[in-house]
PDB file of all heavy atoms in Angstrom:
ATOM      1  N   PHE A  59      44.250  12.558 287.863  1.00 96.00           N
ATOM      2  CA  PHE A  59      45.695  12.693 288.063  1.00 96.00           C
ATOM      3  C   PHE A  59      46.074  11.981 289.356  1.00 96.00           C
ATOM      4  O   PHE A  59      45.532  12.280 290.422  1.00 96.00           O
ATOM      5  CB  PHE A  59      46.042  14.187 288.145  1.00 96.00           C
ATOM      6  CG  PHE A  59      47.517  14.495 288.207  1.00 96.00           C
ATOM      7  CD1 PHE A  59      48.257  14.596 287.048  1.00 96.00           C
ATOM      8  CD2 PHE A  59      48.141  14.698 289.425  1.00 96.00           C
ATOM      9  CE1 PHE A  59      49.615  14.903 287.098  1.00 96.00           C
ATOM     10  CE2 PHE A  59      49.496  14.996 289.494  1.00 96.00           C
ATOM     11  CZ  PHE A  59      50.235  15.097 288.324  1.00 96.00           C
ATOM     12  N   HIS A 253      60.042  18.837 270.367  1.00 86.00           N
ATOM     13  CA  HIS A 253      58.711  19.093 270.936  1.00 86.00           C
ATOM     14  C   HIS A 253      58.169  20.389 270.336  1.00 86.00           C
ATOM     15  O   HIS A 253      58.680  21.476 270.601  1.00 86.00           O
ATOM     16  CB  HIS A 253      58.801  19.203 272.453  1.00 86.00           C
ATOM     17  CG  HIS A 253      57.465  19.337 273.123  1.00 86.00           C
ATOM     18  ND1 HIS A 253      56.667  18.252 273.416  1.00 86.00           N
ATOM     19  CD2 HIS A 253      56.778  20.426 273.541  1.00 86.00           C
ATOM     20  CE1 HIS A 253      55.553  18.664 273.993  1.00 86.00           C
ATOM     21  NE2 HIS A 253      55.592  19.981 274.084  1.00 86.00           N
ATOM     22  N   VAL A 306      67.635  18.701 280.958  1.00 94.00           N
ATOM     23  CA  VAL A 306      67.660  17.245 280.830  1.00 94.00           C
ATOM     24  C   VAL A 306      69.044  16.705 281.200  1.00 94.00           C
ATOM     25  O   VAL A 306      69.167  15.738 281.957  1.00 94.00           O
ATOM     26  CB  VAL A 306      67.272  16.822 279.398  1.00 94.00           C
ATOM     27  CG1 VAL A 306      67.491  15.328 279.197  1.00 94.00           C
ATOM     28  CG2 VAL A 306      65.818  17.184 279.114  1.00 94.00           C
TER      29      VAL A 306
END
Side-chain angles (χ1 to χ4, degrees):
F59 186 85
H253 185 83
V306 172

